[in-house]
Amino acid sequence: MCRLVLTYGDEILSQTCQLFPREIHTFNEDVTEYALMPSCPAVIDLLRKREHISFSGEMDTSAYRELAPLVNLRAFLMKLMEDGAHTPEHNLMKIFYVLLDLYERVEDEQAKDGCMENKQVKDAAEDALGLDLTDMAKMYPGGFLLELSETIDGIEKTLQYSIEERNELLLDLAENYRREGLYEKYLEPVAQLAEQLSAQGINEEVVKEWQEFEVQFLKYQPLMRRFLLTELYADSLKPEGNLEEMVVQVQWIAMEYATIRHAVFLHWLLSQGEGSFCEEGISTSCRRGISYEDVRDYMVVVSRMTGYEEDDIYEYLENSFEHIIWDWGYFALICG
């Protein structure tokens, strides 16, 4: 943690600082989970240094009582994210496919009962606790996951539209913070460039820059994978949670991750020349790498920007999208 805590202990801190950046979820008198929020630079430093991470509260899932099936599901999703053979965004796409498949199974079952109305979708998701999720590997065996990965790899990437959508997401998420002058040092330069790109359109040169950025960003994949593992553990399942809320939370995590990548990309573009970007692109003779400090800064800032309460997440999605639950294609678009 920070040097102040390491030197003097928690007692020197205020009550708020004694809790932050810790995240605590009490499921019942037998189960309390602890995690660290990535909105603190010291937490990102810890994630960078650790080759493997473990989580407090990992125990026999029966202790979670009625939520045990979703705890099994969460563990399976985290195992998918741990797959180092694929990129974090590829793993996110697999995770969302599984979640969406389970969610749609529940909707189908409810529809068969002939008592399903649109306004009851959330209640139907709560009934997902009745799904047999004790053996996720049996439901989604290795052969199926391999085929799913091959399908994802075979999808033709529409980088122009992916960059365009991430650009708009960043501008939308940043709007209120810019209005209040918050995180100005980090947000304003990249937001101004995002506005420039939005006005001129995402052309071939921008796509080429993104492809170069992706190559340089590869070295941060282990950090991003650990970051996403932390987010999945802490945020995908809350006390009194249900399947729909897990789907929504994973969408939100994907938005957070997509915005982090795009913010770092824009900052990297700005760092290449004189602090501006033109339609002709950037000369390869003055390439700069991506510093860890820059990556950490935007992980922290975007994590704080997206640190919404659950009701606020639902409100944002209701106001910004036609449906709260996305289709898989849109999820892949912002991750790709």
Side-chain angles (χ1 to χ4, degrees), residues 132-181:
D132 182 10
L133 304 180
T134 54
D135 191 353
M136 292 300 304
K138 185 176 181 180
M139 294 183 70
Y140 300 98
F144 171 83
L145 294 174
L146 178 61
E147 185 177 348
L148 177 59
S149 284
E150 291 173 349
T151 301
I152 292 172
D153 288 337
I155 295 174
E156 183 178 355
K157 287 188 176 183
T158 53
L159 285 178
Q160 176 185 349
Y161 299 115
S162 290
I163 297 168
E164 184 178 84
E165 186 62 23
R166 287 191 291 267
N167 201 61
E168 295 306 314
L169 283 175
L170 184 147
L171 286 172
D172 193 50
L173 285 169
E175 182 178 358
N176 290 335
Y177 294 94
R178 294 177 72 193
R179 188 182 300 120
E180 298 296 328

Side-chain angles (χ1 to χ4, degrees), residues 193-210:
L193 179 53
E195 289 172 337
Q196 183 182 339
L197 292 178
S198 183
Q200 75 181 40
I202 305 301
N203 57 31
E204 186 177 340
E205 289 301 326
V206 178
V207 171
K208 288 180 180 177
E209 296 298 342
W210 174 264

Side-chain angles (χ1 to χ4, degrees), residues 6-202:
L6 291 174
T7 303
Y8 299 104
D10 286 349
E11 294 76 14
I12 198 172
L13 301 176
S14 66
Q15 184 175 1
T16 299
C17 289
Q18 284 183 35
L19 179 61
F20 180 82
R22 301 160 184 82
E23 191 166 0
I24 303 172
H25 296 304
T26 301
F27 286 79
N28 55 56
E29 64 271 20
D30 297 321
V31 180
T32 300
E33 292 186 348
Y34 302 87
L36 293 174
M37 293 181 280
S39 49
C40 171
V43 172
I44 306 300
D45 289 340
L46 284 174
L47 291 176
R48 184 193 185 199
K49 294 173 183 176
R50 298 283 182 90
E51 289 190 13
H52 303 284
I53 54 176
S54 59
F55 298 93
S56 174
E58 294 179 325
M59 59 177 68
D60 182 1
T61 56
S62 64
Y64 289 83
R65 300 172 188 171
E66 68 276 5
L67 286 180
L70 295 185
V71 175
N72 286 327
L73 173 57
R74 181 183 63 177
F76 182 72
L77 301 181
M78 292 174 66
K79 185 176 180 180
L80 293 180
M81 179 51 66
E82 289 176 335
D83 179 10
H86 297 96
T87 65
E89 48 272 22
H90 176 109
N91 293 341
L92 273 174
M93 293 181 211
K94 282 198 293 190
I95 285 169
F96 191 65
Y97 182 93
V98 169
L99 276 174
L100 203 58
D101 179 61
L102 290 171
Y103 183 76
E104 290 173 351
R105 289 191 197 190
V106 173
E107 286 194 305
D108 290 344
E109 287 300 316
Q110 292 291 327
K112 289 177 183 177
D113 292 339
C115 60
M116 185 68 178
E117 297 180 9
N118 289 337
K119 65 181 181 179
Q120 294 176 309
V121 169
K122 187 169 183 178
D123 293 335
E126 290 170 351
D127 291 340
L129 295 179
L131 288 175
D132 182 10
L133 304 180
T134 54
D135 191 353
M136 292 300 304
K138 185 176 181 180
M139 294 183 70
Y140 300 98
F144 171 83
L145 294 174
L146 178 61
E147 185 177 348
L148 177 59
S149 284
E150 291 173 349
T151 301
I152 292 172
D153 288 337
I155 295 174
E156 183 178 355
K157 287 188 176 183
T158 53
L159 285 178
Q160 176 185 349
Y161 299 115
S162 290
I163 297 168
E164 184 178 84
E165 186 62 23
R166 287 191 291 267
N167 201 61
E168 295 306 314
L169 283 175
L170 184 147
L171 286 172
D172 193 50
L173 285 169
E175 182 178 358
N176 290 335
Y177 294 94
R178 294 177 72 193
R179 188 182 300 120
E180 298 296 328
L182 299 172
Y183 313 125
E184 188 172 4
K185 172 184 173 183
Y186 304 100
L187 278 186
E188 201 54 36
V190 297
Q192 288 181 11
L193 179 53
E195 289 172 337
Q196 183 182 339
L197 292 178
S198 183
Q200 75 181 40
I202 305 301

